[in-house]
Amino acid sequence: EPEVTQTPSHQVTQMGQEVILRCVPISNHLYFYWYRQILGQKVEFLVSFYNNEISEKSEIFDDQFSVERPDGSNFTLKIRSTKLEDSAMYFCASMWRQNNEQFFGPGTRLTVL
Amino acid sequence: AQKVTQAQTEISVVEKEDVTLDCVYETRDTTYYLFWYKQPPSGELVFLIRRNSFDEQNEISGRYSWNFQKSTSSFNFTITASQVVDSAVYFCALKGGGSGNTGKLIFGQGTTLQVKP
C-alpha cells in the first residue's frame, strides 16, 4: 500500500542553523501539506501546496520557513534559522483530491538545542 | 472561523468497556468534512474515518462506530469492547469544502485514551 515517507526520523540541530525536512508524498496525490505538533499538544497546520505553489499558510509559517517540490516526488520544508520553539514533530501529508482524506507520514522529530 | 473542540483531555477505561470520544465543531461552510485520526504511542497519525457534511448516516467498522449529528455539530466516536491496543491519542479534525478551501485540516486538542488490562 502506498504511503508517505519522511526523512530523517529525528534531527537535532543548534539554534540558528538551517534544517531541511524531506517528504515523499504518495505518487498520484496532488495536494501537499506540512503540519507540526509540539510535544503533548495538538497538530497545527503550517502550509498547503498545490500546483507548484503555496495555496495557504498559517501565522506560524513566517519568513523563516519555505517549501519546495524540486522534482516530481520530493516535498521539502526548510527552516532557515531555527529557534528553540521550533522543536516539534513535523508531519507531511498528501491528498489526492479536495474531498479526500489526507495521509500522513511518520513525522520528523526536530530538536533545537 | 473553523474550530474543533474535544473537551475530554484524558479518558481511562478498563478493557472491554465501551468508550465514547466527543467532538464538537464550528464552521460556516455548508460543505465540510470531518475526520478522526489515531496517534498511537509510536507517534504516527493514522486515518480512521472521513465524513461528508451531506451524509449524516452513522458508520460502523468493527468495534468502531461514529455518530454524526449536524443539529448539534457533533461527530462522536465510540469504541465498543475496548482493548489495550486502543490506547492512543485520538484527534478529531475538520476540513472546509467550499471554493477557496485549500484542504487544510483543523485539529482538536486530542483525547488521550488509556485502556487498562
Side-chain angles (χ1 to χ4, degrees):
Chain A
E1 188 174 322
E3 57 183 20
V4 178
T5 60
Q6 289 184 245
T7 53
S9 56
H10 190 186
Q11 173 126 20
V12 181
T13 189
Q14 295 290 325
M15 193 168 55
Q17 294 295 304
E18 174 183 288
V19 295
I20 297 176
L21 310 184
R22 291 185 165 79
C23 169
V24 179
I26 295 174
S27 63
N28 63 340
H29 284 190
L30 302 176
Y31 298 84
F32 312 107
Y33 304 86
W34 283 100
Y35 294 83
R36 82 168 186 194
Q37 184 182 31
I38 293 171
L39 188 62
Q41 298 187 22
K42 70 176 178 180
V43 181
E44 300 175 287
F45 166 76
L46 288 178
V47 65
S48 59
F49 193 87
Y50 170 70
N51 203 23
N52 280 321
E53 60 182 19
I54 290 175
S55 47
E56 186 175 359
K57 55 186 180 180
S58 71
E59 291 177 356
I60 303 166
F61 194 89
D62 62 22
D63 292 345
Q64 293 302 311
F65 290 86
S66 62
V67 289
E68 209 175 36
R69 189 157 158 81
D71 50 41
S73 59
N74 292 286
F75 180 49
T76 61
L77 173 70
K78 185 196 294 188
I79 309 175
R80 270 183 261 287
S81 178
T82 49
K83 307 185 189 91
L84 295 176
E85 53 264 37
D86 293 328
S87 295
M89 180 76 94
Y90 288 81
F91 290 103
C92 171
S94 70
M95 181 172 72
W96 177 44
R97 292 192 310 190
Q98 268 280 16
N99 61 346
N100 288 145
E101 57 275 12
Q102 290 177 26
F103 290 93
F104 285 79
T108 293
R109 179 162 297 285
L110 177 65
T111 303
V112 182
L113 302 177
Chain B
Q2 297 180 323
K3 188 178 175 183
V4 176
T5 302
Q6 295 178 254
Q8 304 151 308
T9 307
E10 289 184 30
I11 301 176
S12 181
V13 299
V14 177
E15 214 172 13
K16 297 185 184 169
E17 282 184 25
D18 298 347
V19 58
T20 295
L21 310 182
D22 297 335
C23 173
V24 174
Y25 62 91
E26 295 174 31
T27 181
R28 292 193 184 129
D29 289 345
T30 51
T31 300
Y32 53 89
Y33 304 89
L34 295 162
F35 304 82
W36 277 94
Y37 284 85
K38 174 181 180 180
Q39 186 174 44
S42 49
E44 71 270 27
L45 287 164
V46 179
F47 165 73
L48 294 178
I49 190 171
R50 179 191 78 217
R51 219 29 165 180
N52 307 331
S53 55
F54 44 86
D55 180 3
E56 285 194 73
Q57 272 196 328
N58 292 324
E59 184 155 337
I60 297 174
S61 176
R63 297 184 295 106
Y64 295 171
S65 62
W66 292 269
N67 184 309
F68 176 31
Q69 293 204 350
K70 267 175 112 164
S71 59
T72 55
S73 298
S74 65
F75 185 44
N76 297 336
F77 173 28
T78 297
I79 302 174
T80 303
S82 58
Q83 299 176 0
V84 172
V85 293
D86 296 327
S87 297
V89 182
Y90 290 86
F91 289 98
C92 181
L94 166 71
K95 178 173 75 170
S99 64
N101 275 291
T102 60
K104 73 176 181 189
L105 291 172
I106 304 297
F107 283 84
Q109 294 284 359
T111 297
T112 301
L113 174 65
Q114 184 181 31
V115 181
K116 297 178 183 174

